[in-house]
Amino acid sequence: MTHSKQYDAIVIGSGITGGWAAKELTEKGLKVLMVERGEDIPHRTGYKNEMKAPWEMPFRGEGDQNYLDEHFPVQQHSGHLDEWNQDYWVDDKAQPYQTPDDTKFRWIRGYHLGGKSLMWGRQCYRWSDYDFSANARDGIGTDWPIRYKDLAPWYDKVEEFVGISGAKEGLPQLPDGQFQPPMVLNVVEQYMRDQISQHFPERRLTIGRTANLTEGKPEEGRVQCQNRSICARGCSFGAYFSTQSSTLPAAQKTGNLTLITNAMASRLIHDPDSNRISGVEVIDTQSRQTTTYHGKLVFLCAGAFNSVALMLRSVSAAFPNGLANSSGVLGKYIMDHASTVGVASVIPGFEDRYYYGNRPTGVVVPRFVNLEEQDQPFTRGFSYQGGAYRASWSRGMKQAGIGKSFAQRLQGPGDWKFVLTSFAECLPRAENAITLDPDKTDADGFPQLQIRFSFSENEYKLLHAAKEEAAKMVVAAGGKVLFGSDQPNPGGSAIHEMGGARMGRDAKTSVLNGYNQAHDIPNLFVTDGAAMASSACQNPSLTYMALTARAVDYASQQLAKGLI
Amino acid sequence: MNSIENQQRRVWLKQAMAACGLIMAPSAVWAASSPDGATVPAWLTAVCDCVIPDTDVPGAVAAKVPGFVQMAADHGLEGAKASLIAQFEHLFNEYSGNDLTTLSETRLEAHLEPLDSAAYSHPRGQALPDVYAAWKTLKSLIVLGYYTSEIGASQALRYVLVPGRFDPDVPLSDNPKAFSSDWTGVKYG
């Protein structure tokens, strides 16, 4: 074991929140060490398959299914993994976890510089007070210690830097932000927006709010989106927000950042005398050498479940049940949106219309139930994301036909499809929890996680209503419903896993306070998805970013005052 | 062999064989090989030609789809088992009462059309007969192999890696070809 020098702050993880923590801390003049367990994927030069055509890939972009089944039995269900980007996902064989009894959970991960920011869905939505007051309103879960007004200026800040394109709609349940010009609805989406507004005045279809630039940021080396929609390969244009394209160069520009990759934080060391995290044990995954780093502040941004796992591993006499776990709720109240295809349909009447280019976002239909009135046989709500497109050649794999007429038919586009995926809010429940497996270890020798997760009756009711309402909108617009589901995909499928170290007002029932600071340990901040006390029904990453920037501001002030 | 030579050779062989009164498919004359180097049965080449023949652009044989299908089956694409090719030959012979290896392409097509039609109209919820299941998998691999080949993706269809813009409403009459690079349209069909 070696010992290293003192930093002002140590950031564990380099994904969406780790990148933000590093940027904000370094820009405040603090000397920061960022620790990333995986390998470096440099911006541009690391995106090895970005420009390759299907015929230049050994398996035409599909991947070797036998290899995928052996190494990515979970990750291949992410909806984003393909042959171009398969190296960005964890090898499930090397990084297994357990789902006890008959529970299921798809834990989707990327262990490399940038984490999931490299492959994420880029949808960015503000949460509203319908969300931050949800737990208080129906008494399920503990009240958030913050409200929208606390986060609004931080949403402003992160949106401006990230570069989020979107349309202002004036909806209280999905507050407007500092948007770049919106991407444009295609002809059928515009028709559906008009039809939905006409038949259901309280509902709105709008373009997705996405972290893809419609206006370049040349001063940051970022070019506007080229409408390729192959973002998850990595984007040399820097057109979407990732650690590589955005926060890392900003942090490096300060000269205050030290980044180490292939460096896994194995344990946080708690000093009972000062009641501070006094060191972070880090294993070099290549040499297996352990080094202890010291920081006045520790920002835990390893991804919701891995941040909790690190806290569960970091036991001591003072915290025998997990670090900063005097409340006993560490690992509990995990969530993921219940998601499924609400409706898949055909919209007739536009057969002579098409589009050019691949817009890297779909549309969104924000929540419209249980807002001011709680008038449904369920609590909370659901929203939809989806879009309209014309089927391409792959429909030929599902249709009858051979010969010239078949080949000629497939040369043109197919039907206009309109699809809405339902996202239902997931209630925070104590029985949904992660723990350390007492026996099984991963390839690095650390205890595997046990993820015990199931959806409750409320999520099933929400998805049932979402299916029915989606079909109504399609039928009202003259569309033909092909399919709809009210059965959730396995937990984790939305890749919005969150909770496990929730924020709260009471140290007896929560792990973190209103500034993402551990109630028990003043210099420990957890600002990734682990901090969430409820799930809302919209994507959470923007909120993680805003919480991180806000927590850094608070922490640096406390540090300056000598209170940490 | 490049695609143009391949196409010319097929045309020449068809003419030459017709002149000799032969009805054997040209695909039976030479065997393709897969990217893994495995030899592909001649009947598979004929089947690929039946599914996607030459149109105004070269078809599946020119795009080396037979070799792709063999390789794709070996690696489990579209749920295929490595035994798919041999299994289909067996099931087809059983189903049609013919020997797949000796059928002319014209007769092969006459058998494949009803098989294809029956396989795709089989009622949902009822167990799919093995020959239908094997055919659907085989055809999926042929379609996949063709439209992800350079010929299929960029000649039969349009391939634009960097569109640079998004036009939300374009008359199809401007260019009636679909985009193989419309990743949403491809992914969700």
Side-chain angles (χ1 to χ4, degrees):
Chain A
M1 181 179 291
T2 60
H3 291 269
S4 180
K5 69 172 185 175
Q6 172 92 29
Y7 291 88
D8 293 323
I10 298 173
V11 176
I12 300 169
S14 67
I16 281 180
T17 57
W20 264 101
K23 171 186 176 302
E24 294 297 295
L25 288 161
T26 55
E27 288 181 348
K28 289 183 184 299
L30 276 65
K31 297 291 183 188
V32 175
L33 173 71
M34 183 155 74
V35 179
E36 166 52 50
R37 69 184 292 166
E39 65 178 13
D40 187 9
I41 297 181
H43 190 37
R44 300 196 175 100
T45 57
Y47 311 147
K48 292 183 179 135
N49 293 324
E50 180 188 357
M51 302 294 182
K52 288 184 182 166
W55 58 87
E56 294 172 315
M57 302 299 292
F59 296 92
R60 305 287 177 85
E62 297 276 301
D64 178 344
Q65 191 59 49
N66 293 341
Y67 181 80
L68 295 178
D69 289 344
E70 185 180 356
H71 291 277
F72 304 102
V74 176
Q75 308 303 309
Q76 65 176 289
H77 297 292
S78 72
H80 300 279
L81 184 150
D82 58 31
E83 190 180 9
W84 285 277
N85 66 32
Q86 69 183 36
D87 291 345
Y88 297 166
W89 307 82
V90 298
D91 183 333
D92 291 310
K93 200 174 175 183
Q95 304 288 348
Y97 60 94
Q98 302 298 315
T99 50
D101 303 328
D102 57 351
T103 61
K104 288 182 183 171
F105 198 90
R106 290 176 178 164
W107 189 19
I108 306 299
R109 293 162 285 167
Y111 291 169
H112 49 252
L113 184 67
K116 291 201 293 284
S117 81
L118 206 54
M119 317 91 89
W120 69 311
R122 307 169 307 285
Q123 295 292 298
C124 289
Y125 299 100
R126 292 188 178 204
W127 287 26
S128 74
D129 270 339
Y130 291 112
D131 305 310
F132 291 114
S133 64
N135 289 1
R137 192 175 177 186
D138 63 18
I140 299 168
T142 48
D143 189 19
W144 279 87
I146 57 171
R147 288 294 184 265
Y148 180 70
K149 66 175 170 47
D150 299 308
L151 215 48
W154 301 99
Y155 278 136
D156 287 343
K157 177 185 172 76
V158 298
E159 284 166 343
E160 193 281 324
F161 180 76
V162 167
I164 295 166
S165 61
K168 294 193 174 185
E169 297 284 358
L171 301 172
Q173 70 272 40
L174 202 70
D176 294 331
Q178 304 299 319
F179 298 143
Q180 290 203 344
M183 293 193 166
V184 188
L185 298 175
N186 67 37
V187 61
V188 168
E189 291 162 346
Q190 183 62 49
Y191 169 77
M192 291 303 295
R193 174 181 164 95
D194 295 343
Q195 288 289 303
I196 289 169
S197 294
Q198 182 184 328
H199 296 286
F200 306 92
E202 77 286 6
R203 304 182 190 182
R204 189 79 49 89
L205 181 153
T206 186
I207 189 72
R209 296 170 179 175
T210 185
N212 293 80
L213 301 181
T214 49
E215 291 176 343
K217 288 172 162 257
E219 70 283 4
E220 295 169 23
R222 301 183 61 196
V223 176
Q224 73 182 57
C225 178
Q226 300 297 303
N227 289 283
R228 299 184 298 167
S229 199
I230 49 175
C231 311
R233 298 182 195 177
C235 180
S236 289
F237 296 98
Y240 76 90
F241 173 89
S242 66
T243 296
Q244 275 87 339
S245 72
S246 306
T247 46
L248 182 63
Q252 287 174 325
K253 196 173 160 187
T254 64
N256 292 327
L257 182 73
T258 302
L259 165 67
I260 51 172
T261 52
N262 296 313
M264 178 167 171
S266 55
R267 195 165 72 95
L268 303 181
I269 302 165
H270 175 251
D271 172 25
D273 295 331
S274 63
N275 189 32
R276 298 289 187 274
I277 303 299
S278 59
V280 179
E281 270 186 15
V282 175
I283 297 175
D284 182 317
T285 58
Q286 312 291 298
S287 69
R288 308 305 298 176
Q289 189 176 38
T290 299
T291 304
T292 301
Y293 296 95
H294 306 282
K296 296 172 196 163
L297 298 171
V298 173
F299 270 72
L300 190 43
C301 303
F305 289 5
N306 274 318
S307 287
V308 171
L310 178 52
M311 294 170 77
L312 288 170
R313 287 202 301 268
S314 301
V315 291
S316 64
F319 293 106
N321 300 315
L323 192 68
N325 189 25
S326 66
S327 66
V329 302
L330 182 67
K332 296 180 180 175
Y333 303 97
I334 60 169
M335 298 161 280
D336 180 50
H337 293 136
S339 63
T340 192
V341 176
V343 71
S345 64
V346 171
I347 306 296
F350 297 88
E351 288 73 18
D352 61 344
R353 317 307 298 173
Y354 203 18
Y355 43 80
Y356 178 87
N358 307 318
R359 201 188 53 203
T361 182
V363 304
V364 60
V365 178
R367 173 176 165 181
F368 51 80
V369 296
N370 281 344
L371 294 172
E372 287 310 303
E373 303 296 326
Q374 291 276 337
D375 54 359
Q376 301 290 327
F378 46 77
T379 187
R380 315 217 183 178
F382 54 84
S383 63
Y384 305 99
Q385 290 177 22
Y389 62 92
R390 293 199 76 159
S392 187
W393 62 264
S394 56
R395 70 190 190 279
M397 298 162 80
K398 297 178 280 191
Q399 291 179 351
I402 64 170
K404 276 197 175 183
S405 62
F406 177 65
Q408 284 164 343
R409 191 170 79 227
L410 291 183
Q411 287 182 10
D415 289 333
W416 275 97
K417 300 276 185 70
F418 177 72
V419 176
L420 291 177
T421 297
S422 310
F423 288 89
E425 178 156 359
C426 173
L427 295 178
R429 296 186 298 134
E431 54 266 44
N432 283 339
I434 46 183
T435 53
L436 299 180
D437 192 287
D439 305 313
K440 297 185 174 70
T441 55
D442 63 20
D444 294 317
F446 294 105
Q448 291 182 26
L449 272 190
Q450 277 204 10
I451 304 174
R452 182 185 293 273
F453 182 88
S454 61
F455 289 114
S456 73
E457 188 182 352
N458 196 65
E459 285 90 285
Y460 282 88
K461 285 181 178 174
L462 285 163
L463 287 184
H464 183 69
K467 176 190 171 185
E468 302 224 314
E469 297 307 317
K472 282 182 199 170
M473 290 188 277
V474 164
V475 169
K480 179 187 169 195
V481 173
L482 299 175
F483 174 75
S485 171
D486 55 9
Q487 297 302 301
N489 298 318
S493 299
I495 326 182
H496 297 155
E497 73 274 13
M498 55 184 127
R502 67 183 179 189
M503 294 169 75
R505 300 175 189 276
D506 186 346
K508 292 191 181 64
T509 58
S510 59
V511 178
L512 307 171
N513 68 16
Y515 290 97
N516 295 75
Q517 181 183 35
H519 287 299
D520 294 340
I521 305 171
N523 71 335
L524 176 62
F525 292 79
V526 184
T527 71
D528 58 26
M532 305 305 269
S534 70
S535 73
C537 63
Q538 62 269 50
N539 310 56
S541 293
L542 182 72
T543 299
Y544 303 167
M545 293 191 241
L547 286 172
T548 302
R550 181 170 174 269
V552 167
D553 186 64
Y554 173 81
S556 61
Q557 286 181 34
Q558 295 291 101
L559 191 64
K561 290 176 190 167
L563 297 173
I564 292 181
Chain B
M1 184 185 295
N2 68 36
S3 61
I4 294 170
E5 285 174 348
N6 202 8
Q7 193 183 357
Q8 287 170 341
R9 183 176 177 188
R10 290 178 65 253
V11 171
W12 176 82
L13 275 168
K14 271 187 176 174
Q15 290 168 345
M17 286 190 298
C20 299
L22 293 173
I23 55 164
M24 195 188 292
S27 50
V29 176
W30 81 88
S33 61
S34 79
D36 286 351
T39 303
V40 174
W43 66 258
L44 179 56
T45 303
V47 168
C48 290
D49 197 42
C50 283
V51 174
I52 304 178
D54 296 344
T55 56
D56 54 332
V57 292
V61 175
K64 299 184 179 176
V65 172
F68 170 81
V69 169
Q70 175 82 65
M71 187 273 295
D74 287 345
H75 291 271
L77 274 70
E78 299 304 318
K81 292 191 167 59
S83 59
L84 174 70
I85 312 297
Q87 188 201 18
F88 179 74
E89 182 179 331
H90 169 73
L91 290 168
F92 177 88
N93 290 348
E94 201 175 67
Y95 167 82
S96 70
N98 284 279
D99 181 352
L100 190 52
T101 60
T102 60
L103 278 179
S104 72
E105 195 157 326
T106 307
R107 290 190 61 212
L108 177 62
E109 195 170 348
H111 283 289
L112 286 181
E113 272 181 351
L115 169 63
D116 180 76
S117 178
Y120 284 90
S121 60
H122 191 74
R124 279 192 182 184
Q126 290 185 19
L128 193 65
D130 289 347
V131 67
Y132 293 175
W135 169 246
K136 288 171 90 166
T137 304
L138 184 61
K139 187 172 130 181
S140 290
L141 293 178
I142 293 168
V143 171
L144 171 67
Y146 181 67
Y147 290 103
T148 56
S149 72
E150 187 166 8
I151 288 173
S154 67
Q155 295 182 38
L157 307 174
R158 286 185 276 173
Y159 179 79
V160 184
L161 177 63
V162 188
R165 67 178 195 279
F166 180 71
D167 297 335
D169 184 14
V170 180
L172 188 59
S173 55
D174 284 1
N175 187 331
K177 286 193 173 180
F179 292 99
S180 66
S181 50
D182 173 8
W183 309 105
T184 302
V186 170
K187 185 173 180 180
Y188 299 107

